[in-house]
Amino acid sequence: MCNDLKHSFNKIIEGNNNWMEFVKNDTSGRFQQLSKEQHPEILWIGCADSRVPANEITGTKPGEVFVHRNIANVCVHSDMNMLSVLDYAVNVLKVKHIIVAGHYGCGGVAASLSRNQFGIIDNWLCHIKDVYRLHAAEIDAIEDLECKTDRLVELNVEEQVFNLCTTSIVQNAWKNNQPLAVHGMVINIASGELINQNCTFTSKESLGKVFAYK
């Protein structure tokens, strides 16, 4: 292993040693409890971007947030990884809140506005291009590229919230009177603010008749 790789890897080991020391000296007993079970109230579906860690942004501790992340926080009905996380969070952990969290300056969203090819990720970004297609008139009317991208970030969050709410997993939870709210939020990395997009769903009533199961 070259020196640069060895140095960066050793930083990981050193960081873990510091964490173990912190856990060992913690007297609250929470880590011993966490080693046996978890009871998070939040499922966080966020972007894989390294700048948007769920716990730090929400001020929560280990064990309080169940997390799924992918490029541009996309929630599509064919993604078995996301659906498996969703099913476990809703039906086993009984989370009360699902947060879809996008962030301004998202590289995946920016790439989806480009005609360039980036590789296999182009197929994933087609989901965001579909969001653009639904709102093309609004997006195209914005001249500044950064503002254009940030608006698509917001619209993408709203669309992914809707996608989650149309899953049988979420709708069956509501059908069984399980308390569950699905929220859309956007992170401003520069300020740290988590901005509510005011697209919260707590029932199937606002989904439209072809999306709401009987």
Side-chain angles (χ1 to χ4, degrees):
M1 191 184 301
C2 71
N3 287 336
D4 283 347
L5 287 177
K6 184 180 293 186
H7 176 69
S8 58
F9 182 71
N10 285 341
K11 286 178 64 178
I12 298 172
I13 300 302
E14 181 182 354
N16 178 246
N17 288 334
N18 293 336
W19 174 251
M20 286 193 300
E21 189 67 19
F22 174 78
V23 171
K24 183 177 71 173
N25 293 325
D26 181 81
T27 59
S28 68
R30 62 191 175 107
F31 291 105
Q32 287 73 21
Q33 187 65 31
L34 284 173
S35 69
K36 300 173 184 176
E37 57 187 352
Q38 59 173 329
H39 298 288
E41 293 192 350
I42 301 167
L43 167 60
W44 173 281
I45 300 179
C47 183
D49 193 295
S50 64
R51 300 167 294 175
V52 287
N55 288 100
E56 283 84 346
I57 289 170
T58 57
T60 51
K61 299 174 182 177
E64 294 182 343
V65 183
F66 199 62
V67 177
H68 173 77
R69 296 169 72 178
N70 61 49
I71 298 297
N73 44 272
V74 168
C75 305
V76 288
H77 304 103
S78 56
D79 183 358
M80 293 304 297
N81 188 350
M82 185 278 295
L83 290 174
S84 298
V85 171
L86 179 66
D87 182 63
Y88 188 78
V90 171
N91 293 319
V92 178
L93 297 176
K94 304 294 184 182
V95 297
K96 296 179 180 178
H97 299 275
I98 301 173
I99 296 174
V100 178
H103 66 95
Y104 294 135
C106 179
V109 173
S112 71
L113 285 171
S114 167
R115 296 176 61 189
N116 297 328
Q117 289 194 30
F118 299 95
I120 194 172
I121 193 176
D122 295 325
N123 301 284
W124 184 256
L125 296 180
C126 277
H127 298 302
I128 309 173
K129 289 179 182 286
D130 284 338
V131 179
Y132 161 77
R133 176 173 52 84
L134 294 173
H135 303 276
E138 178 185 352
I139 297 297
D140 289 344
I142 302 172
E143 295 184 2
D144 181 78
L145 181 58
E146 182 177 346
C147 293
K148 188 189 297 279
T149 302
D150 286 349
R151 180 56 182 147
L152 185 52
V153 164
E154 296 170 347
L155 292 169
N156 182 53
V157 163
E158 293 177 16
E159 189 68 17
Q160 305 317 319
V161 166
F162 188 85
N163 285 347
L164 278 179
C165 293
T166 59
T167 63
S168 58
I169 297 168
V170 170
Q171 291 199 40
N172 284 334
W174 286 334
K175 185 177 181 180
N176 294 327
N177 296 316
Q178 184 174 333
L180 180 65
V182 184
H183 313 272
M185 309 190 86
V186 172
I187 303 156
N188 184 328
I189 295 175
S191 67
E193 183 181 7
L194 186 60
I195 305 166
N196 188 357
Q197 297 301 293
N198 297 312
C199 55
T200 294
F201 289 81
T202 56
S203 74
K204 66 179 182 180
E205 304 308 322
S206 301
L207 296 178
K209 63 181 181 180
V210 299
F211 294 103
Y213 295 119
K214 294 182 179 179

